[in-house]
Structure formats: structure tokens, C-alpha cells
Amino acid sequence: MSEQTQNADTKEAVIAQTEPVKEATNTQEFLDNFNWHKYEEGIDEVDDAKLKEFETALEGTVGFVNERDVIEGEVVRITDRDAIIDINSKSEGVISLNEFRYNPNLSVGDKVEVLVDKREDSSGQLVLSHKKARVIKAWDRVNNAHETGEIVNGFVKCRTRGGMIVDVFGIEAFLPGSQIDVKPIRDYDQYVEKTMEFKVVKINHEFKNVVVSHKALIEADLEDQKKEIIGQLEKGQVLEGVVKNITSYGVFVDLGGVDGLIHITDLSWSRINHPNEVVELDQKLNVVILDFDDNKSRIQLGLKQLSAHPWEALDANLKVGDKVKGKVVVLADYGAFVEVEEGVEGLIHVSEMSWSTHLRSAQDFVKVGDEIEAQILTLDRDERKMSLGIKQLHPDPWTDITSKYPVDSVHTGTVRNYTNFGVFVELEEGIDGLIYISDLSWTKKIKHPSDFVTVGDKLEVKVLELDVENRKLNLGHKQTQENPWDVYEQTYAIDSIHEGTIKEKNDKGATVVFADGVEAFAPSRLLEKEDGSKLGKGDTDQFKVIEFNKDYRRIVVSHTAIFKAQEENNVKAATKKAAEAEKTTLGDIEGLAELKKKMDAEK
């Protein structure tokens, strides 16, 4: 049919169906005077009001369609690239077969939904789109399913971060991993390219996002079953369940729509580090109901309670003093827990690990996983407590202490610790002795033991005292050397003068060091020089010994005494000379008197 014929038919239809006559006449005039060729070529502009008037006149005519309408069409012919669709309009539409890739079995006679994209393109062809129609219809159906709760079918296309992509009515919807099933999913790939039922749970119209859930359908099916199970729950009841999830603190078990938790402490009578040491995912097992809240929404389950407590099966003949073997399962600073039988543990306190008395940590003796032998020290079956010891498996080193370490014997030990008042030295495992700070050196004045020795140093010591009953050993280090104060007594005799250097100085006085390293104390008032000034730190000068005490290793010296003594000597010399002069004068007087007496007698 030619374009002129189509226009004529349209005009007749409009004239026949349009009222009133005045409007029809206006329309007829518009059609008669309208240049379709110039309009398509864009040569003449058309008055918008007249064009709208023409559109209004065409509405309701046979074969008239509006742009953006979604209508049903019929496939009338299929070529290699396109499908020809008849929508009962003035012309047929053409749609690319790419829009029907989802339907490879498309054939002539099939009814399909199409969107009127354009009533006529530049060549007068009707432009249709099946893909856009599907999207529009799909959104209508998705919105309706969301509002009504309708169950929809979807095709799982692929995996994505956090879940799956599902095709629902041609729209890509998101299926979160948590919404696939009521139990955690470990293999997402098993669902790819499968058609499943879903419930539309959320739509974001602004971003055109759809979220679906398969889990919601399962939960709905399980709701009745869940109510039945919860209604029959009783403490002590044994049920079969499936391990649903494993965490560091326990195991979640599916009891058939109802979840319960087995805390890690209720999995095994033995001590375990992680629940996966006892159970695995999807494992079926019997559990006992220990407790639940008022709503029965939190159910506490137990696994170990289905077997007898290991303490009840403990050998009845086991007693204090027996030796047992076990594995170290837990370590703490204060000791180690040893599993002697499954579920039966004993504590070895750190004080029972060694005969040594100085403080140490349990990690210095054993580590987790060690297989060790120990002796039972206490056993309380009612309280299910047991204490063990490993030092008891070795002889007590204090048994023959008097023969091994008699008084005045000299030995080499290891510095293990020190305090403000002394140093603890270990002679052997279990035998420690104390060196008081005053017994470290004959000559040095030590403020703290750390100034003299370091932990781990080897030190020669002499046994000074031995208290077997209280297990105490008093040692000395300086006693292993000759007392130099026997020699100092002669060298630093009272009134002897020596050259020394002031090492330290304070308000009370100064410490003076002599060439051989001996230290002496000079009171502040005795540091005055002859010119009235005082000696300072670092000054070297002569000092006179004014006090010597060997027992307290104390030497007191004076610089002032040196020139004071000289002054005294000068005074004494002057006094003596004056005395002698006086004596001579008196003698002369006495001689003259004798002479006068003699002359008088002769006369």
C-alpha cells in the first residue's frame, strides 16, 4: 500500500469518527494542507498545537497505537536476523533475534509482548522492542510479587561477591549467600545454572535493585515443624541433630528447624582447643538438652553428658604416692595441667616441679603436648581434684647437704637472682644460697648487688652458715679471698699521709680514692685548704689518716690536719726558742749576782 493511500484511509477514518463537524473540518483541512515529505525531511516546521490536535484525532482509530505502549503481538515471519511481528496496526514491526536469545525455540505464530518504540521511523517503519517490553512487564510482575508475597521462579546465572545473580522475569536479582538456605552454604557452585523458587524480599526503585530469598520459603515450611519441636522440648531430652556451624566457642546444631548451641566446654570431658577437634560440619549426632530460655529461642545442648564422667571410671586402686603418666594440656605461670586419663586432669604446681626455691615459671620445665611422669600428691574423688609433682621423682638434694656443702667449703655457683640486701646463688638444682651485700667485696662499697654481679654470672663462694632444718644456706664471696685490710692496717696507720683524689662529694664530706684503690672518707670540715678554700670533686692532694677501723673497713682522712699540724709544729718551735732565750737571760742575771756576792765577800 502506497503512502498516499494510507494517508487517505487515515483521513477517511478520522472524518468518519471525529466529532464535532467543526473539529473534523479542521482536521481535514490540516491533513489536506500537511506536507508529509517536508515534515520527514525536517524542511518545514509543524505547529505543535496542530500536530497535537492531529494526534488526538487519530486516537481510537483502528490500528492506532501509542508510543511506549506494551501490547501483545504475533510472530508472522522469521528471517536470519529478525522476527516480523504483527500488532494489528497499519504496519508490521521488526525485532532483532538477539532479543529472543533466551528463547531459542521461537517460531511463527508465537505470541510475544512488545513495546511500541516508535510508530514510524524516518522510512515509515513501525519500531518495536521485545526486550524493553519484557523489562517493563518484568518490573510489574516483580513489584506485584513483592506486594503479594507470590513465589517466583528464577534462574541462577552465576556467583558474585556475597551471593548469586538470579534471573527473575528477565531482571537480574541479587540472592545473598545468607538467603540461599537455612544452613550455611559452603559450595555456591552447586546452585549455578539451576532454576529455583524465590520470594522477593526487597526492591530499591531508585537504583533498580531486587533482592530475593530462597531461605524465606524454607523457613516458612519449617515454621510448623519448629513450633511442634519447641512445644515438646524438655530438659534432659535426647535429640538427633546435624552440625550446622562451628565457631571457636561452640557448635550450632540443627534439630529440625530449631537451632541449639553446644558450648565448647560441653563437647568433651577432655580439654580441647577448638570444637573441630570433636565434630565436623554436616555430622549427625545425638545431643541432650541442658537448658533453654522462657521463649525456647536459645537452647543449650550437651554432647559429653551422654557419656559417664571419666572420674567415675578412674581406677579405684589409684592412691597418693602412685606414679602416673599423662600429657600436658594447659600451661600457666603457676603450674601445668596434665591429663592422666581422658577427662581426668591433675595440677602440677610450679613449686612441685623442682627442688629449687627461687621463683621460676612452669614454662621453664614443660610445654603443652609433653608426655611426662608424675607422682600423685593429693587425690579427692568427691571434688574431682588431683595434684601432682615431678620433683618427687628425684632425690631431695638437701638430704646429704652437710657432706656435700660443709661450712668453710668453697664452690662455684650461678647467680640466679638478687635483691636490695643480697644475691641468690644456685650451687645445683634445688640448692640455693644467699650472699649478703656486705659479703660481696672487702674493699668496694656496693649500693646494690647489680653493681657487682649480673644474673647468670658464675661466682666463687664459701659456705659460711648451714641451716638444714630451715633449708637455708649463707654464702660469702669476699671470704674466698684474703682480707686486704690486714695489709691496709699497716699501710694506712694513724697520722700517715697519702696522696688521693676526691671521687665524690656531698654536704657531709667526700670519698677519697688512693692509688691502690682503697677508699677513705674525709668530713667536709677537714677539706679546708690553707688559704681557706675547700677541695672539690676531682682534686688530688695530700690526706692524713686520722682514723682506721679494720672491722668496719673504715678510714677517715683529713687534708686540713696536714697544714694545721705544721702550724702547731711552728708554734711549738717558737715557744721552745722563746723558752730557751728566757732561760739564757735568767742565767746571766744569776751569774752577775754570784759575781757581786763574791766581790762583796772579798771586799
Side-chain angles (χ1 to χ4, degrees):
M1 181 182 298
S2 66
E3 182 176 341
Q4 292 180 352
T5 306
Q6 291 180 2
N7 290 340
D9 292 341
T10 304
K11 293 175 185 178
E12 291 177 2
V14 171
I15 293 172
Q17 300 180 16
T18 304
E19 294 291 343
V21 176
K22 184 177 180 179
E23 291 186 2
T25 304
N26 291 338
T27 303
Q28 184 63 47
E29 291 176 358
F30 176 83
L31 293 175
D32 291 340
N33 298 324
F34 187 74
N35 191 324
W36 291 95
H37 175 71
K38 289 184 178 181
Y39 169 71
E40 294 292 345
E41 295 297 327
I43 298 174
D44 286 346
E45 292 186 1
V46 181
D47 183 69
D48 290 338
K50 290 185 178 181
L51 187 60
K52 186 175 181 181
E53 181 183 351
F54 176 65
E55 295 286 346
T56 304
L58 289 178
E59 290 181 4
T61 60
V62 178
F64 179 82
V65 291
N66 290 316
E67 290 185 358
R68 316 312 299 172
D69 280 354
V70 177
I71 58 179
E72 187 177 69
E74 179 181 350
V75 179
V76 294
R77 189 167 70 258
I78 297 177
T79 68
D80 293 339
R81 298 175 57 185
D82 303 311
I84 312 303
I85 311 296
D86 179 17
I87 61 169
N88 196 27
S89 182
K90 65 178 182 178
S91 64
E92 297 171 343
V94 179
I95 300 177
S96 173
L97 289 178
N98 288 333
E99 297 191 23
F100 296 96
R101 281 183 297 180
Y102 74 95
N103 184 10
N105 299 319
L106 183 70
S107 58
V108 174
D110 287 350
K111 301 293 184 179
V112 294
E113 292 175 335
V114 295
L115 170 75
V116 180
D117 225 351
K118 286 185 179 181
R119 286 204 300 266
E120 289 183 355
D121 60 8
S122 59
S123 60
Q125 179 66 54
L126 178 65
V127 180
L128 305 176
S129 173
H130 174 63
K131 182 178 180 180
K132 293 179 180 180
R134 286 189 71 212
V135 171
I136 293 174
K137 284 294 184 180
W139 274 104
D140 291 342
R141 295 178 66 183
V142 165
N143 285 322
N144 183 64
H146 183 228
E147 293 173 0
T148 62
E150 176 190 353
I151 298 174
V152 299
N153 287 327
F155 178 75
V156 181
K157 297 176 66 175
C158 61
R159 287 188 56 178
T160 188
R161 184 177 180 180
M164 317 286 286
I165 298 297
V166 180
D167 185 324
V168 179
F169 304 138
I171 295 176
E172 288 191 348
F174 177 60
L175 172 64
S178 61
Q179 296 298 313
I180 298 177
D181 205 334
V182 291
K183 60 183 179 181
I185 302 302
R186 290 172 288 280
D187 181 16
Y188 284 73
D189 293 333
Q190 63 178 313
Y191 296 95
V192 176
E193 296 185 355
K194 285 189 176 180
T195 299
M196 301 170 59
E197 291 185 333
F198 299 99
K199 184 177 182 180
V200 179
V201 294
K202 185 177 181 180
I203 296 178
N204 187 319
H205 292 281
E206 181 179 359
F207 297 102
K208 298 295 183 181
N209 291 334
V210 179
V211 180
V212 296
S213 171
H214 180 68
K215 176 183 176 181
L217 302 179
I218 301 176
E219 288 177 334
D221 294 338
L222 292 175
E223 191 61 32
D224 294 338
Q225 182 179 346
K226 182 177 180 180
K227 290 180 180 178
E228 182 179 352
I229 294 174
I230 289 178
Q232 298 176 355
L233 286 181
E234 294 180 3
K235 293 181 182 179
Q237 185 179 14
V238 178
L239 299 174
E240 183 183 64
V242 179
V243 176
K244 180 179 180 180
N245 192 21
I246 299 177
T247 67
S248 59
Y249 56 86
V251 176
F252 288 93
V253 178
D254 183 1
L255 302 175
V258 180
D259 290 347
L261 172 65
I262 309 176
H263 194 269
I264 187 172
T265 56
D266 291 316
L267 282 170
S268 172
W269 292 114
S270 299
R271 198 185 296 262
I272 59 175
N273 296 317
H274 196 278
N276 57 21
E277 297 175 18
V278 180
V279 298
E280 59 185 19
L281 289 171
D282 299 327
Q283 178 182 349
K284 289 185 178 181
L285 69 168
N286 290 328
V287 293
V288 59
I289 298 176
L290 302 180
D291 200 1
F292 45 76
D293 59 7
D294 295 337
N295 298 326
K296 297 183 180 180
S297 58
R298 294 185 179 181
I299 305 172
Q300 182 181 346
L301 306 175
L303 180 63
K304 72 180 184 181
Q305 288 79 2
L306 295 177
S307 59
H309 198 289
W311 272 89
E312 298 174 4
L314 188 64
D315 187 355
N317 296 321
L318 210 60
K319 61 185 183 301
V320 172
D322 288 350
K323 295 179 182 179
V324 292
K325 291 183 179 180
K327 182 173 70 173
V328 178
V329 291
V330 174
L331 266 183
D333 289 338
Y334 58 85
F337 289 92
V338 179
E339 187 177 54
V340 296
E341 290 188 16
E342 184 177 356
V344 178
E345 296 178 3
L347 171 64
I348 305 179
H349 194 270
V350 67
S351 61
E352 302 299 339
M353 292 183 175
S354 169
W355 290 107
S356 178
T357 56
H358 59 265
L359 295 177
R360 296 172 72 178
S361 176
Q363 286 88 338
D364 296 333
F365 300 95
V366 294
K367 61 180 182 297
V368 173
D370 283 352
E371 299 283 347
I372 63 172
E373 186 177 33
Q375 183 176 331
I376 298 177
L377 304 182
T378 62
L379 180 61
D380 189 338
R381 294 178 182 272
D382 294 332
E383 294 294 328
R384 295 173 176 172
K385 292 182 179 179
M386 179 190 302
S387 63
L388 307 172
I390 54 179
K391 74 179 185 182
Q392 289 77 8
L393 302 179
H394 308 282
D396 185 354
W398 280 83
T399 303
D400 56 350
I401 188 72
T402 53
S403 60
K404 293 173 67 176
Y405 301 101
V407 175
D408 292 331
S409 60
V410 178
H411 311 274
T412 299
T414 304
V415 176
R416 290 299 184 192
N417 194 15
Y418 40 65
T419 64
N420 292 331
F421 56 84
V423 179
F424 288 97
V425 177
E426 184 182 60
L427 300 179
E428 65 173 78
E429 182 74 23
I431 298 182
D432 296 342
L434 173 64
I435 305 176
Y436 284 101
I437 194 170
S438 59
D439 289 321
L440 285 173
S441 174
W442 288 111
T443 58
K444 293 183 179 180
K445 293 182 179 180
I446 303 169
K447 295 182 179 179
H448 191 274
S450 60
D451 298 333
F452 187 80
V453 292
T454 304
V455 173
D457 286 352
K458 297 293 183 181
L459 200 65
E460 193 173 27
V461 295
K462 186 175 185 178
V463 179
L464 303 182
E465 295 181 19
L466 180 60
D467 185 348
V468 179
E469 183 178 354
N470 294 313
R471 301 171 80 94
K472 291 184 178 180
L473 200 59
N474 189 15
L475 306 174
H477 172 64
K478 72 180 185 180
Q479 289 80 2
T480 61
Q481 306 164 353
E482 291 187 6
N483 188 352
W485 285 86
D486 293 337
V487 178
Y488 298 157
E489 189 174 18
Q490 302 298 324
T491 304
Y492 297 95
I494 301 295
D495 292 334
S496 60
I497 296 176
H498 308 271
E499 185 179 72
T501 302
I502 296 179
K503 178 183 177 182
E504 295 179 359
K505 185 181 178 182
N506 54 37
D507 294 340
K508 294 182 179 180
T511 301
V512 181
V513 181
F514 298 116
D516 54 3
V518 175
E519 296 181 357
F521 177 72
S524 181
R525 60 186 176 80
L526 299 180
L527 293 174
E528 185 177 347
K529 296 192 289 185
E530 193 171 359
D531 60 3
S533 62
K534 287 190 176 184
L535 293 172
K537 182 177 179 180
D539 289 347
T540 300
D541 216 318
Q542 299 292 319
F543 295 89
K544 184 177 183 179
V545 179
I546 60 176
E547 181 184 339
F548 183 91
N549 190 318
K550 184 173 71 173
D551 294 334
Y552 291 99
R553 304 195 304 278
R554 176 181 172 85
I555 301 175
V556 181
V557 295
S558 171
H559 172 70
T560 306
I562 294 177
F563 68 83
K564 288 290 185 182
Q566 186 64 40
E567 290 179 356
E568 291 177 1
N569 289 337
N570 292 339
V571 171
K572 287 180 181 180
T575 303
K576 182 179 180 182
K577 186 176 181 180
E580 289 177 354
E582 184 180 357
K583 184 177 181 182
T584 301
T585 303
L586 292 174
D588 292 342
I589 294 174
E590 289 177 358
L592 291 173
E594 287 294 331
L595 179 60
K596 184 176 185 294
K597 186 178 180 182
K598 185 177 179 181
M599 291 176 65
D600 288 343
E602 290 179 352
K603 183 178 180 181

